[in-house]
Amino acid sequence: MRQSGDGFLMCSDGHMRWGVYGAAGAVFVVRFPDGPRVMLQKRSAFAHEGGTWSCAGGALDQGETPLEGALREASEEIGAIPGGHTVLGHTVFAPATDWSYTTFVVEVPGEFGASINFETDAIAWDSLDEVEARPLHAGFAAAWPELRRIIEAAYDEPAAT
């Protein structure tokens, strides 16, 4: 039986972070004729950096892999994830020896999602350039260049100029 990882941890680098066992999230991608679109979640005022846009995610539970946690957290925040999804890649932010945040890029067969709990104000499906025009959560903004490279490589998209 899993133990909830909800809670703050004083990390080995001296910073307080959410997720006793670390955290993970998922950027969902859908193929469109004009290029890929990614799902963004507008964080509510009740969430860290409320009002910014990010991917769905959160604290890992004890014994949960980062992918399991990312998909569980996403389903809790935006609804059931369509079957037939494929992981295209991931990034890891590991600022401390005892904490990390893994972000997965997950292709899904079609758009889905809604604001289903207090953490999410809205959902949007944006082009890669539209993502960069939004006010992004600081952690997501730092990961976005690598996440974008993963998406561009999977969809043979030209690099942004």
Side-chain angles (χ1 to χ4, degrees):
M1 182 160 168
R2 289 194 183 114
Q3 298 269 331
S4 173
D6 287 353
F8 287 97
L9 175 70
M10 178 58 76
C11 299
S12 62
D13 66 349
H15 287 86
M16 186 75 70
R17 294 190 176 86
W18 181 254
V20 175
Y21 307 109
V27 175
F28 296 100
V29 185
V30 172
R31 184 181 303 267
F32 280 84
D34 63 344
R37 294 198 175 271
V38 300
M39 176 196 279
L40 291 181
Q41 167 198 42
K42 185 175 184 186
R43 301 169 66 79
S44 77
F46 299 104
H48 181 250
E49 293 187 41
T52 60
W53 293 81
S54 184
C55 63
L60 299 176
D61 287 343
Q62 183 181 29
E64 194 170 45
T65 69
L67 181 58
E68 290 169 340
L71 296 177
R72 176 189 51 76
E73 280 285 336
S75 67
E76 291 172 2
E77 295 173 8
I78 57 172
I81 300 161
H85 58 270
T86 303
V87 176
L88 301 177
H90 70 279
T91 65
V92 179
F93 171 64
T97 59
D98 54 355
W99 190 92
S100 65
Y101 191 105
T102 305
T103 307
F104 292 90
V105 177
V106 180
E107 183 177 46
V108 291
E111 292 176 290
F112 74 102
S115 173
I116 65 169
N117 78 11
F118 71 94
E119 295 177 82
T120 305
D121 280 347
I123 295 296
W125 286 89
D126 287 351
S127 71
L128 303 185
D129 290 337
E130 288 171 330
V131 170
E132 295 174 8
R134 291 196 183 269
L136 299 177
H137 178 280
F140 182 76
W144 176 245
E146 180 59 24
L147 296 167
R148 183 174 180 147
R149 281 191 285 280
I150 292 167
I151 295 164
E152 288 173 341
Y155 291 92
D156 295 320
E157 288 289 306
T161 56

